[in-house]
Amino acid sequence: ITKYEDVLWALKHPEVFSSKGVVNVGNDVPLLPLSVDPPDHAKYRRLLDPQFSPKRMADLEPEARKLVNEIIDGFAGKGQCEFHEDFATPLPSTIFLALMGLPHSDLPDFLRWRDDTIRPQADTPEAAQEIREAAGRAISQYFEDAIAEKRRHPDDRLLSTVVHGEVDGRPLTHEELLGITHLLLLGGLDTVTATLDCMIVYLARHPERRRAALADPELMTTAVEELLRHETPVMMVPRVMAQDYEMRGVQLRAGDGVTLVIGAADADEEEFDHADQVILDRERNRHLAFGGGPHRCLGSHLARLELRVALEEFHRRIPDYDLAPGAELEFSPGIRQAEGIPLLFAAS
């Protein structure tokens, strides 16, 4: 499904286009709240949504700016960086670990599990699934230990809040806790990295747009939204038909698999004027980069904070940069993460 109107309708009607059980990335428990539909979905969102509210995310901004600048300190004086490895990967991961209340020393394990889950290096689908399942078991074991630790020593961070949280007036079960933490790991470590990759490559290739954004600090917020639309890092999401339904003359049957192509919807000329162009101050921008409906991305406010602060601070410190001569960029399918982004700039 590719048209904006149709994709949005499907996202808003999980009773027809269900998310239940559609994601199998080696997880041995349902990823919550992604893998359940309303009304059960709502009880998990009631627990989690306040932890990712705009106000709570705004409170994180000073800490986020500090972390961004600490990362930039590591390469600003060198006159070059490998943006994906040196900036886009550690930034959201570092913020995620701080938000969850987990030790930064665990980051290498988290990044390995992330890559083995989302883009396993394998020659066959069967081998890829084996890698995913091994990562899933390792993630479950990690969080079993982390959950036990937070039960013994609660704190004010997100993991502890979830461990001691309730749904429907009861504590979360062990399976529910593993499903929530597994999804938080994947969402917190991957999509912002991919988004930063896409955005910085576009700005490196279009220096006139970069200069326009730098000339008007107020423009960065709308620029982030427009680059989310134009680049749309998460290009598609799966659904399964919960009932028979006809769309645009095509008969869909209960049990059929469906792909909602978010990237195509965000390039639909019927919704976005001059959809193929980046208009940094686009006023009406109802893009679907964060999905829509009940399953709209739980961490969208956190992602917006990370992206805006990252671009503001990176360009404050390094306003002019270019891709290294001869750089050949390759992006992974599905979630558009770059394998390498070599940048050159004046050392500071």
Side-chain angles (χ1 to χ4, degrees):
I1 298 176
T2 60
K3 297 296 294 180
Y4 180 94
E5 178 184 0
D6 300 337
V7 171
L8 182 59
W9 195 94
L11 290 168
K12 287 184 173 182
H13 290 84
E15 74 280 5
V16 179
F17 293 87
S18 173
S19 184
K20 187 175 182 180
V22 297
V23 177
N24 181 7
V25 287
N27 48 296
D28 53 5
V29 296
L31 301 178
L32 298 177
L34 174 63
S35 293
V36 293
D37 291 323
D40 288 340
H41 176 268
K43 64 187 180 185
Y44 300 111
R45 292 297 292 242
R46 280 195 293 270
L47 168 67
L48 295 169
D49 280 349
Q51 307 306 315
F52 293 92
S53 68
K55 182 182 184 305
R56 188 166 291 236
M57 295 304 98
D59 291 341
L60 287 176
E61 184 164 333
E63 184 176 2
R65 287 193 186 276
K66 178 174 179 291
L67 290 171
V68 168
N69 279 286
E70 288 175 355
I71 293 170
I72 297 172
D73 287 343
F75 55 77
K78 299 177 182 179
Q80 62 181 1
C81 72
E82 204 294 283
F83 183 84
H84 171 76
E85 290 294 334
D86 295 340
F87 188 79
T89 292
L91 172 59
S93 302
T94 301
I95 292 176
F96 170 79
L97 290 170
L99 184 68
M100 290 285 281
L102 295 169
H104 190 267
S105 58
D106 293 341
L107 180 57
D109 289 334
F110 276 40
L111 294 177
R112 184 176 70 256
W113 297 333
R114 176 201 69 181
D115 290 338
D116 284 351
T117 298
I118 295 173
R119 47 191 69 84
Q121 300 298 307
D123 295 329
T124 66
E126 293 77 16
Q129 188 59 21
E130 288 180 6
I131 294 172
R132 289 191 176 101
E133 290 173 358
R137 290 191 294 271
I139 292 169
S140 291
Q141 183 59 59
Y142 176 92
F143 278 114
E144 284 186 0
D145 296 340
I147 288 165
E149 175 64 20
K150 295 300 182 182
R151 289 196 193 282
R152 292 190 297 267
H153 303 290
D155 54 37
D156 62 350
R157 295 293 172 159
L158 178 58
L159 180 56
S160 185
T161 299
V162 172
V163 167
H164 296 278
E166 295 184 347
V167 293
D168 291 343
R170 61 165 177 82
L172 290 160
T173 67
H174 186 64
E175 182 178 273
E176 288 171 327
L177 286 171
L178 290 179
I180 290 172
T181 52
H182 198 141
L183 181 62
L184 288 174
L185 182 151
L186 297 179
L189 265 64
D190 193 69
T191 50
V192 170
T193 292
T195 307
L196 283 170
D197 283 354
C198 293
M199 289 183 171
I200 212 71
V201 168
Y202 178 87
L203 293 170
R205 288 173 168 168
H206 299 85
E208 75 287 354
R209 300 301 174 91
R210 184 172 78 230
R211 287 190 287 269
L214 294 177
D216 181 3
E218 298 296 320
L219 195 59
M220 189 56 75
T221 298
T222 56
V224 165
E225 298 302 318
E226 177 66 347
L227 289 171
L228 279 165
R229 180 199 69 81
H230 188 265
E231 298 298 308
T232 309
V234 182
M235 294 187 289
M236 58 191 74
V237 295
R239 293 292 186 266
V240 64
M241 297 306 297
Q243 57 182 275
D244 293 351
Y245 187 77
E246 184 176 309
M247 177 173 278
R248 295 188 183 268
V250 177
Q251 183 62 53
L252 304 170
R253 302 293 183 185
D256 284 350
V258 176
T259 299
L260 308 183
V261 189
I262 304 294
D266 277 347
D268 188 345
E269 289 282 354
E270 293 181 15
E271 172 63 22
F272 303 99
D273 292 336
H274 307 292
D276 61 332
Q277 300 177 23
V278 169
I279 302 173
L280 295 178
D281 58 352
R282 188 183 293 273
E283 293 183 2
R284 186 176 184 272
N285 193 348
R286 301 190 306 159
H287 66 76
L288 300 178
F290 292 120
H295 286 286
R296 189 177 186 281
C297 176
L298 173 68
S300 61
H301 299 304
L302 174 60
R304 283 187 166 103
L305 170 70
E306 291 178 324
L307 294 168
R308 178 176 56 80
V309 169
L311 292 179
E312 286 175 350
E313 293 302 312
F314 187 88
H315 289 99
R316 181 179 65 83
R317 301 276 300 273
I318 305 172
D320 294 309
Y321 51 88
D322 292 292
L323 292 168
E328 297 183 4
L329 305 184
E330 294 186 10
F331 287 85
S332 56
I335 300 178
R336 298 180 56 234
Q337 177 175 292
E339 293 184 5
I341 307 174
L343 296 183
L344 303 177
F345 49 83
S348 61

